[in-house]
Amino acid sequence: MLSPPHVRKKLVKALLIVGLVVAAIGWLTYNKASQSAEFSAAEIAKFVSDDYVGSDACKDCHEDQFKAFSHTPHAGLATNNSWKGKVSGCESCHGPGKAHIEEGDPKKIISFKAKSSKAISETCLGCHAGKEDHNNFRRGEHWRNDVGCTDCHSAHSSPSIGGNPGSNTLVSEAARRNQDLLAANMLKGSEPQLCIGCHSETKAQFSRPFHHKVLEGLIKCSDCHNPHGGFELKQTRLATGTDAGCLKCHTDKQGPFTFEHAPLKVEGCVSCHTPHGAANAKLLTRSTIRQLCLECHSNAHEIGAPDTPNFHNQATSRYQNCTTCHTKIHGSHVDRFFFR
């Protein structure tokens, strides 16, 4: 049975008052806790600041590492205005060194020798997670397969590999310029050698008669793939739309077109092309053009000419190369059959 209206109004008012009281108590408790947390954090910061002794103190025992580290971008953070007031140098990763130096105890400093790849990567992400290129590292295949930052990068130095940093077969000008990129990214080796070390199947693909010039040093694996993770298959760089990695070089294939080729629009470039290498000059998934086209257009003899079976007679060399007539196969503005 429902209560009278005046009783229900009093009940609503009482509930509102109780809610306001609870909210006020909660706000006061939260504010007090926040002030206490801030005070504690300030005390802790003041306390640990006395434990930091600077990278120069590490030089006495770790002279080789110090010399190598002094030439890296990490060492330059000490003079970087954006890093002012923050811990830099050896202690930014290994923690405060005062107790380690005074007692000579290896346990008084953070060592990464026994740490897992994920634990090491978490240390790196403490500074590098804010960059767009690294934000999705924990979503990537490398993270899931226990490949950490130091499997590819050296926190202390980058090796000198001479004048052939990006190529297995020749020294191109692009490969020579990659020397600077190698040092800036503190890589243990160069692309593609680092990638092929794990992805050995791609080396065979790049050795096919027609391939993207990765082994020659003209382009790099990271031009198409993001080694630090991502949402796309194979960690491809598609943040700006489908096949963005392909279209930044093959700009003439970029639409939108008035007449779209459905496989390209829906499935992308890899529906017809194999990106690493192929026996076909256009990097097609089949050795000849007609083999590829006939996988979808098995009724080619009927298209545009019903009851005329010899219109696309595959026994006639004239019709064996589909793109002789359908030249604008990626998309056209003038013809729905992709004629010129």
Side-chain angles (χ1 to χ4, degrees), residues 4-300:
H6 67 280
V7 175
R8 291 201 298 271
K9 287 181 180 179
K10 289 181 179 180
L11 183 60
V12 170
K13 288 181 180 179
L15 290 174
L16 285 173
I17 292 171
V18 171
L20 290 172
V21 171
V22 170
I25 293 172
W27 182 84
L28 290 172
T29 303
Y30 171 79
N31 190 45
K32 185 177 181 180
S34 298
Q35 290 177 349
S36 176
E38 288 176 4
F39 180 75
S40 299
E43 277 191 333
I44 292 171
K46 184 178 180 181
F47 172 74
V48 298
S49 64
D50 296 333
D51 291 341
Y52 288 95
V53 293
S55 296
D56 288 334
C58 306
K59 182 179 179 180
D60 295 336
C61 297
H62 307 282
E63 186 175 359
D64 292 339
Q65 291 90 334
F66 181 86
K67 286 182 179 179
F69 178 79
S70 62
H71 300 290
T72 65
H74 283 163
L77 292 176
T79 57
N80 191 322
N81 291 332
S82 65
W83 207 258
K84 188 175 181 180
K86 299 179 183 178
V87 178
S88 61
C90 308
E91 293 170 304
S92 61
C93 296
H94 293 281
K98 183 179 180 181
H100 172 62
I101 292 173
E102 290 178 348
E103 302 176 25
D105 187 354
K107 294 181 180 179
K108 296 294 184 179
I109 198 76
I110 299 173
S111 174
F112 295 94
K113 292 181 179 178
K115 287 185 177 292
S116 67
S117 61
K118 284 185 171 61
I120 295 172
S121 298
E122 286 290 354
T123 301
C124 301
L125 291 171
C127 294
H128 292 282
K131 292 188 176 182
E132 183 180 357
D133 200 49
H134 303 83
N135 280 342
N136 295 312
F137 184 71
R138 295 185 186 89
R139 298 186 179 97
E141 294 295 331
H142 285 161
W143 172 270
R144 284 193 285 270
N145 289 281
D146 290 325
V147 178
C149 303
T150 52
D151 290 316
C152 298
H153 300 273
S154 174
H156 294 147
S157 64
S158 294
S160 177
I161 55 175
N164 189 14
S167 169
N168 283 346
T169 57
L170 56 88
V171 185
S172 66
E173 285 304 313
R176 292 185 189 279
R177 289 195 296 272
N178 284 345
Q179 182 72 41
D180 296 332
L181 185 65
L182 178 71
N185 292 334
M186 302 177 67
L187 294 174
K188 287 184 173 180
S190 65
E191 296 184 53
Q193 286 89 343
L194 272 176
C195 302
I196 288 176
C198 294
H199 303 282
S200 55
E201 75 285 355
T202 59
K203 185 175 182 179
Q205 294 169 0
F206 286 128
S207 299
R208 291 175 179 174
F210 304 96
H211 56 270
H212 277 116
K213 307 301 181 183
V214 172
L215 298 186
E216 292 82 352
L218 186 61
I219 61 174
K220 309 183 301 299
C221 303
S222 58
D223 288 333
C224 299
H225 302 274
N226 183 356
H228 301 117
F231 295 97
E232 302 295 338
L233 184 67
K234 306 297 183 182
Q235 297 185 187
T236 48
R237 295 184 182 275
L238 302 182
T240 56
T242 305
D243 297 316
C246 305
L247 295 174
K248 71 179 181 180
C249 293
H250 304 280
T251 54
D252 59 314
K253 308 300 187 293
Q254 186 171 9
F257 296 105
T258 305
F259 302 99
E260 303 278 5
H261 195 178
L264 179 64
K265 187 69 174 178
V266 178
E267 300 174 36
C269 303
V270 293
S271 61
C272 296
H273 300 276
T274 177
H276 293 142
N280 182 276
K282 300 295 185 182
L283 303 186
L284 298 178
T285 56
R286 296 291 178 263
S287 57
T288 63
I289 294 174
R290 65 170 179 156
Q291 284 180 322
L292 180 62
C293 297
L294 289 172
E295 288 183 357
C296 296
H297 302 284
S298 56
N299 62 334

